[in-house]
Amino acid sequence: MQIKNSAVSMIIDAADEKELEEIKLQFLGKSGKLTLALKEITKVPIERRAAVGSLANDVKKTIEETIKNHESRIMNQESKTRTEKLDITAPGIKPAIGHLHLITQAVEEISEIFRHIGFTRVRYPEVEWDKYAFEDLNFPKNHPARDDWETFFIKQDPDPKKGPMILTPHTSSGQIREMERKNPPIRMLNIAKCYRRQSDVSHSPMFHQFEGLVVDKNISIAHLKGTLDYFVKSYFGEDRRSRIRPYHFQFTEPSFEVDVSCGMCKGHGCKLCKEGWLEMGGSGMVHPNVLRNGGIDPKEFTGFAFGWGVERVLMMKEGIKIDDLRFLYSSNLNFLEQF
Ligand SMILES: [Zn+2]
């Protein structure tokens, strides 16, 4: 009985097949405890031998059965562990990783593209004086952009020299500030938030613009066209082209609208574009009055400028994924997680 009890408790404690095999040998092997005990049976008086024999067999059977049961349990467990260890294809638990907002990504990409051709990124005030946003950019006093219905006014009573305080409606306000800050050569990239009274699928009251300004000796339309082409190919892709169309802006002369060939129809014409072209924004040669207002002699220096919406170029790049600009500011994760 002692042998049986100690064997059973050892079997139950056995952790793996190897240990179980050792226990088996220890009790049932050639010189195992039970085998030796069975050999001793001959020494038992003949009248008790049958009872002792049957008890010994009973012990042997119990030990064998316990080993068998425990063995299958250990094997099940081991194969389970083995599968768990080996299944490297099982999906893991992914930690939630976010990404920079689309606008931040676009601003970084645009800055990097222009950095390669020598443009320096600058930042100028979002709360701006009329002088920088309109007056020195050659806007007449009665220009509609200076109307209450177009621009947000912070203070109506004007500063005697700088006029009313407003939320800047465009990044062009950085042009005069940059000319005041440094002498030519100037290669400025001003990316900032702008504000206008507007809200529809392609406009929001707050938006971002990036403004380029180059002032140096002998700067011509060819430099402007080369810079536009470079940006369009770097940002939209090598297969895209740019074109300029005559237009009118107060602060450039001559002025142009810049178009990019449509990525959907490759310039053949589709419902997204106008005969193969998409409008990107304005540009032109810096007006002599603006140079003068910035303290630069237009007889010595010339320059070009362009100003485009960050949201607009992003929407043109992503196409149908962004069909309403206001989604960009909705904090809707279903929308943002697409990118
Ligand atoms: Zn098209």
Side-chain angles (χ1 to χ4, degrees), residues 100-203:
L100 291 174
H101 191 270
L102 292 181
I103 293 295
T104 311
Q105 288 180 31
V107 165
E108 285 186 358
E109 192 181 349
I110 293 163
S111 309
E112 189 58 19
I113 289 172
F114 282 103
R115 193 178 65 82
H116 282 288
I117 52 169
F119 281 75
T120 302
R121 168 100 192 264
V122 296
R123 285 182 177 83
Y124 287 119
E126 285 172 36
V127 180
E128 187 54 285
W129 297 105
D130 175 280
K131 167 185 159 71
Y132 294 107
F134 298 121
E135 185 69 24
D136 284 359
L137 291 176
N138 211 29
F139 278 75
K141 290 270 185 259
N142 59 355
H143 193 280
R146 287 172 133 169
D147 196 274
D148 282 3
W149 298 103
E150 289 283 334
T151 297
F152 294 102
F153 284 79
I154 301 291
K155 266 201 264 178
Q156 275 294 6
D157 52 321
D159 178 273
K161 283 186 183 151
K162 300 174 193 162
M165 187 181 269
I166 57 171
L167 290 180
T168 193
H170 53 192
T171 42
S172 305
S173 54
Q175 289 191 18
I176 297 290
R177 284 193 176 270
E178 182 74 0
M179 291 181 210
E180 284 181 355
R181 186 178 75 93
K182 79 187 285 280
N183 294 322
I186 289 172
R187 280 195 192 90
M188 170 201 90
L189 185 70
N190 178 29
I191 308 186
K193 288 194 185 87
C194 303
Y195 304 84
R196 286 182 204 173
R197 292 191 160 208
Q198 55 185 15
S199 184
D200 59 46
V201 291
S202 54
H203 298 92

Side-chain angles (χ1 to χ4, degrees), residues 256-300:
F256 310 103
E257 275 279 20
V258 181
D259 293 340
V260 182
S261 62
C262 175
M264 286 280 277
C265 63
K266 307 284 172 213
H268 297 295
C270 68
K271 63 176 179 179
L272 192 76
C273 62
K274 278 185 207 153
E275 291 164 353
W277 296 93
L278 297 160
E279 226 178 273
M280 189 160 73
S283 70
M285 302 308 289
V286 183
H287 197 290
N289 287 350
V290 175
L291 287 173
R292 235 174 260 123
N293 292 337
I296 292 170
D297 182 0
K299 285 189 187 114
E300 197 183 343

